[in-house]
Amino acid sequence: VLARPLLLQAGASFQQLQMQPAFSVSPFTANAAGGNTDSANALFANLRFHRQFEAADETQDVAIDYNIRAAGRSIGSDFGYTRQHWDFVYSLARGNQTIQTNFTAGFISGNAPLFERFVVGTSSLLRGWNRFEIDPLGGTRLVHNSVTYKYRFPRQLSGQVFYDAGILWQGNGNSGGNSGILHSLGVGVSRSIFTLALAFPVREGRIDPVFMVGMNY
């Protein structure tokens, strides 16, 4: 704890990736077939600021997170990259009503493994879109913003209306996979950790509603 609202975490992760051999080989015999193994070791640090402001009739909550992961030959990694991620959340609650905005940005330089890439079309980023339709391999640049209005009903039931906007693209001079700015709208209801939502990706000329069921821990 650097200061009361400021927390710093740091550490290292060590992972081994078993690369799939030819598709004709059964995955149960991958090791025997000589599948390649790569090391994905990385150092990481996370800086988090969280502060809550309370007044007589309202509560404001601010959370800012910055995360960086770095990998290279010096720590025995077969991948060399730097991954940075920013997340800003602000919420204002008054009575049974809450409005929240979330801004997320990400930047990757170097050669990162696929699991480190950014994806959208999830339960929190560009809800309702299909992540594989946008970019099945993920991107190295991300900017996303969402605004959510919530109303709390009796018996721990709450309804929400949300709007998402974001863009995912590749860096390093590669224009492939640029999603352009995408938008989605939706409504939902939640109780405790369970959430039901109906999201509408904004497309030209048609509406493709997507029903989502999720659990938030």
Side-chain angles (χ1 to χ4, degrees):
V1 179
L2 302 181
R4 188 167 184 177
L6 197 60
L7 176 66
L8 174 65
Q9 296 175 312
S13 65
F14 302 92
Q15 303 180 68
Q16 294 290 323
L17 304 180
Q18 179 70 47
M19 310 306 290
Q20 271 300 69
F23 291 108
S24 59
V25 179
S26 168
F28 298 104
T29 60
N31 291 332
N36 296 326
T37 300
D38 288 334
S39 298
N41 306 329
L43 303 176
F44 66 86
N46 185 74
L47 188 63
R48 176 175 176 80
F49 173 89
H50 183 210
R51 190 76 179 269
Q52 190 174 81
F53 305 90
E54 294 185 356
D57 59 345
E58 67 180 31
T59 300
Q60 300 182 64
D61 195 276
V62 179
I64 304 173
D65 284 273
Y66 169 70
N67 177 270
I68 183 170
R69 293 176 66 88
R73 297 288 182 181
S74 60
I75 56 174
S77 177
D78 292 311
F79 299 89
Y81 67 94
T82 300
R83 182 186 191 273
Q84 300 182 73
H85 182 262
W86 297 264
D87 194 51
F88 170 81
V89 181
Y90 170 80
S91 66
L92 172 63
R94 179 176 296 173
N96 292 332
Q97 303 179 79
T98 301
I99 186 167
Q100 177 178 300
T101 182
N102 186 309
F103 175 81
T104 300
F107 178 90
I108 297 176
S109 60
N111 177 33
L114 290 179
F115 67 82
E116 290 282 30
R117 293 184 171 221
F118 304 110
V119 296
V120 292
T122 65
S123 61
S124 58
L125 302 177
L126 281 177
R127 287 164 281 189
W129 285 90
N130 186 338
R131 56 175 291 187
F132 298 105
E133 177 186 354
I134 298 172
D135 193 332
L137 298 181
T140 60
R141 307 288 190 273
L142 167 68
V143 176
H144 182 273
N145 181 241
S146 66
V147 178
T148 304
Y149 169 81
K150 300 179 181 180
Y151 188 88
R152 188 175 69 253
F153 297 98
R155 299 183 180 180
Q156 299 183 335
L157 188 68
S158 63
Q160 64 176 353
V161 178
F162 59 83
Y163 165 71
D164 294 349
I167 179 172
L168 179 74
W169 75 100
Q170 306 291 340
N172 301 323
N174 181 5
S175 60
N178 189 331
S179 69
I181 300 178
L182 302 176
H183 308 266
S184 67
L185 301 165
V187 295
V189 62
S190 62
R191 182 177 182 182
S192 184
I193 63 174
F194 300 98
T195 300
L196 303 176
L198 187 64
F200 300 86
V202 179
R203 305 174 186 267
E204 295 184 0
R206 69 183 192 275
I207 298 177
D208 297 318
V210 176
F211 182 69
M212 300 183 299
V213 180
M215 298 176 63
N216 295 321
Y217 294 95

